[in-house]
Amino acid sequence: LDVLLEHSVDNAVWATKGTFAGVTAAPASEALTLTGTVNRYTAMAWSYSGAGTAPTNTAMVALARR
């Protein structure tokens, strides 16, 4: 499972802000430290590249300013 943190200034065009390490077994967790501007809109995107035709996952990304 590959998970990305994306951000956008207009909620239409998205750019990757952070990339989490690929998850191959559960449970897994990771923290990213971001630098620079984080735009107004944020989203999580994921892709599955493993075997099987019906993958399932439960993922959560939280964003906090320091």
Side-chain angles (χ1 to χ4, degrees), residues 13-55:
V13 178
W14 295 88
T16 300
K17 183 63 181 175
T19 302
F20 294 89
V23 176
T24 58
S29 65
E30 183 179 357
L32 296 180
T33 300
L34 305 175
T35 59
T37 300
V38 176
N39 294 325
R40 179 179 180 180
Y41 301 98
T42 58
M44 176 188 79
W46 66 273
S47 64
Y48 179 76
S49 58
T53 58

